[in-house]
Amino acid sequence: MSFRIAYLPGDGVGPEVSDVARRVMLKTADLFGLRLAFQDFDFGGVAIDRHGDPFPPATKKGCLEADAVLLGAVGGPQWDKGGPRPEAGLLALRKALGVYANLRPTRVMPGKEALSPLRPERAAGVDLLIVRELTGGLYFGERVEEPRYASDNCVYSKEEIERIARVAFEAARGRRKKVTSVDKANILATGRLWRKTVSEMQARDYPDVALDHALVDAMAMKLIEH
């Protein structure tokens, strides 16, 4: 079995870290009898320097044709002086591939608790999965930027909320059957739609999964406390 991987090493430490990841993947593939074919593409700041675009058409085409994308870090102070920004390529890549769910597992391995910035007794046993929505909200809403005025429109549709919630609920079924939905429902209309939609979905499709809600600022504190 073989897979084509679009390789986007990026900027700064990106190429160094990505190269190590690629070598690990190739070694692992050998152990399991797989073939990985990597094809390099410019992305981020280096693509701006070479093509004037953080996500050039050739890179987009390569990503859409590949089985997977390996992406390194992008950006740096040399691109903060106006003009296209490397981070714009990240948003364009997410939109082109429809990658709306960012999965961030956090687990402290037994015996490694002392390496955490938290006290060992706090870090012991930590095992959670953060599911972050990637293609809606502030980053993808209408944007206005003037010399004395700027705005970022935060928009979520019910369908966007349902699909990311489904990822969380399905993942929870294979873990401890518990989801905490994080929003800003006390202030934002989008937060209230988020909370209402997730609650309806749990009651309708996932009664076997426990659900609670937390405000985002309180959740930041709870992650450290508990």
Side-chain angles (χ1 to χ4, degrees):
M1 186 177 295
S2 62
F3 298 93
R4 293 183 300 169
I5 300 177
Y7 180 63
L8 284 53
D11 312 312
V13 300
E16 179 182 355
V17 175
S18 299
D19 180 63
V20 175
R22 178 165 58 174
R23 282 187 276 148
V24 171
M25 291 172 66
L26 288 170
K27 182 64 175 178
T28 305
D30 287 342
L31 293 174
F32 288 91
L34 303 175
R35 290 185 63 253
L36 303 181
F38 289 85
Q39 185 175 0
D40 291 32
F41 294 98
D42 293 332
F43 185 81
V46 67
I48 293 173
D49 293 344
R50 295 174 181 172
H51 312 282
D53 183 348
F55 189 37
T59 302
K60 179 179 180 179
K61 182 174 184 293
C63 291
L64 291 173
E65 293 175 349
D67 296 301
V69 176
L70 177 60
L71 170 64
V74 298
Q78 60 267 52
W79 296 287
D80 289 344
K81 302 172 183 177
R85 294 189 60 89
E87 295 82 4
L90 294 174
L91 302 185
L93 177 64
R94 294 176 191 173
K95 186 173 183 179
L97 298 182
V99 285
Y100 61 88
N102 183 357
L103 306 182
R104 295 293 182 98
T106 302
R107 184 183 178 197
V108 178
M109 305 298 289
K112 301 295 184 181
E113 295 85 357
L115 300 178
S116 168
L118 302 177
R119 295 200 306 271
E121 61 270 24
R122 290 277 194 216
V126 168
D127 182 10
L128 70 148
L129 175 65
I130 296 176
V131 181
R132 176 191 170 200
E133 203 286 325
L134 273 187
T135 59
L138 283 170
Y139 284 8
F140 284 85
E142 183 181 354
R143 183 172 293 109
V144 175
E145 189 170 357
E146 302 291 347
R148 298 177 62 85
Y149 172 85
S151 66
D152 297 281
N153 195 19
C154 183
V155 178
Y156 274 111
S157 68
K158 188 169 184 176
E159 292 73 22
E160 287 174 324
I161 299 168
E162 285 180 337
R163 67 182 184 179
I164 191 68
R166 192 171 303 280
V167 172
F169 282 124
E170 291 291 340
R173 274 182 168 170
R175 294 170 56 83
R176 294 190 295 273
K177 295 189 175 182
K178 168 71 181 299
V179 168
T180 296
S181 179
V182 182
D183 56 44
K184 192 63 176 169
N186 60 333
I187 300 293
L188 301 179
T190 48
R192 289 188 286 275
L193 176 64
W194 186 287
R195 184 170 295 204
K196 179 175 182 290
T197 301
V198 174
S199 295
E200 291 174 347
M201 193 172 183
Q202 185 268 343
R204 182 184 68 237
D205 300 332
Y206 297 95
D208 57 314
V209 178
L211 171 68
D212 62 6
H213 301 273
L215 298 175
V216 63
D217 37 1
M219 189 63 188
M221 181 176 65
K222 287 181 179 180
L223 282 172
I224 300 299
E225 287 185 334
H226 304 292

